[in-house]
Amino acid sequence: MKKILLNRDFILFSIILIILIAVGFANPLFVTPKSISDVLTDTSILIILALSQMIVILIRAIDLSVASNLALSGMLISLLSTVHPELPVYYFIALSCVIGTILGVLNGISIAILKVPFIVTTLGTLSIYRGLIYFVSDGKQVYSNEFSEDFLALIHVKFLSLSFLPNSNNAAEIGTNATGSAANTEINFCLLYTSDAADDSLRVDLGGRRI
């Protein structure tokens, strides 16, 4: 029992639970099912990125380029959707998976075959991917009113009464990566992530951050 109480994960979980209870007493609306659903929805990007990064950390490595992968994949899909709005949504979803996988495999080749240290590789691709975002977009932003109706309608899809995609975030890509400990090959699987079309001022931030 003492070992459990002194476990770091148990301590962190207890702290989070105490904070949740304290905030719930201060503001009962915070612990309502709708509020909790909104919190989980708004943090879904961070949750998925954290889970993918966890896989890398478990093999004593780190991927510094995962956010840049997310941003570059999102920008490429966003630009394509504005140029070819007639394409079906599932095409963008499939293409986003391909783009994320290619970017991840480049890291894997550098680490597993060229034997470049993972921190050097991912730090380099972080800068490269982020620079490519500005290059392909010509330093411009993509606004939600430039997307097709089908593209933006994806956010209204419900699964178990939850929105399939968060309604308040900018169009971007959720990138996850799975790294094989034997080959150190990193593969990024991306799920299309779109913004709410309610506000024409909603836009994609080139750095992959919300505005």
Side-chain angles (χ1 to χ4, degrees):
M1 184 65 179
K2 183 179 180 181
K3 185 178 180 180
I4 296 177
L5 294 176
L6 295 178
N7 183 275
R8 187 189 66 167
D9 295 333
F10 179 79
I11 293 174
L12 291 175
F13 176 77
S14 300
I15 292 174
I16 294 175
L17 187 61
I18 291 172
I19 294 175
L20 180 63
I21 294 174
V23 174
F25 275 111
N27 185 2
L29 293 178
F30 179 75
V31 292
T32 60
K34 184 180 185 308
S35 175
I36 295 176
S37 173
D38 290 341
V39 170
L40 293 176
T41 298
D42 290 338
T43 57
S44 58
I45 282 184
L46 297 179
I47 292 173
I48 295 178
L49 288 180
L51 290 174
S52 64
Q53 191 70 264
M54 177 189 69
I55 301 174
V56 181
I57 294 175
L58 286 176
I59 63 168
R60 299 181 180 181
I62 192 69
D63 182 1
L64 303 177
S65 67
V66 64
S68 296
N69 185 325
L70 178 152
L72 178 57
S73 302
M75 180 55 72
L76 291 174
I77 293 299
S78 299
L79 292 173
L80 179 63
S81 67
T82 59
V83 176
H84 296 287
E86 74 281 358
L87 293 176
V89 175
Y90 62 80
Y91 177 86
F92 295 117
I93 296 176
L95 186 59
S96 67
C97 293
V98 173
I99 294 173
T101 299
I102 292 174
L103 297 179
V105 167
L106 292 178
N107 282 346
I109 292 174
S110 177
I111 296 170
I113 299 179
L114 302 181
K115 305 301 181 182
V116 179
F118 57 83
I119 194 167
V120 175
T121 293
T122 57
L123 183 61
T125 52
L126 179 153
S127 300
I128 293 172
Y129 296 163
R130 184 146 299 196
L132 285 174
I133 296 171
Y134 289 93
F135 177 76
V136 299
S137 65
D138 197 24
K140 299 177 182 179
Q141 296 173 332
V142 181
Y143 294 85
S144 61
N145 60 348
E146 299 179 57
F147 295 103
S148 67
E149 293 184 2
D150 291 339
F151 190 92
L152 293 171
L154 186 62
I155 62 173
H156 300 297
V157 178
K158 296 285 185 178
F159 178 73
L160 297 179
S161 75
L162 297 176
S163 177
F164 180 66
L165 296 171
N167 332 355
S168 59
N169 292 318
N170 296 333
E173 292 291 315
I174 295 179
T176 65
N177 57 78
T179 308
S181 57
N184 280 331
T185 302
E186 181 186 32
I187 301 177
N188 289 264
F189 297 96
C190 297
L191 296 175
L192 194 61
Y193 186 81
T194 58
S195 65
D196 197 338
D199 186 356
D200 287 342
S201 66
L202 198 61
R203 59 188 181 276
V204 174
D205 178 33
L206 297 180
R209 299 181 300 272
R210 291 192 296 173
I211 299 179

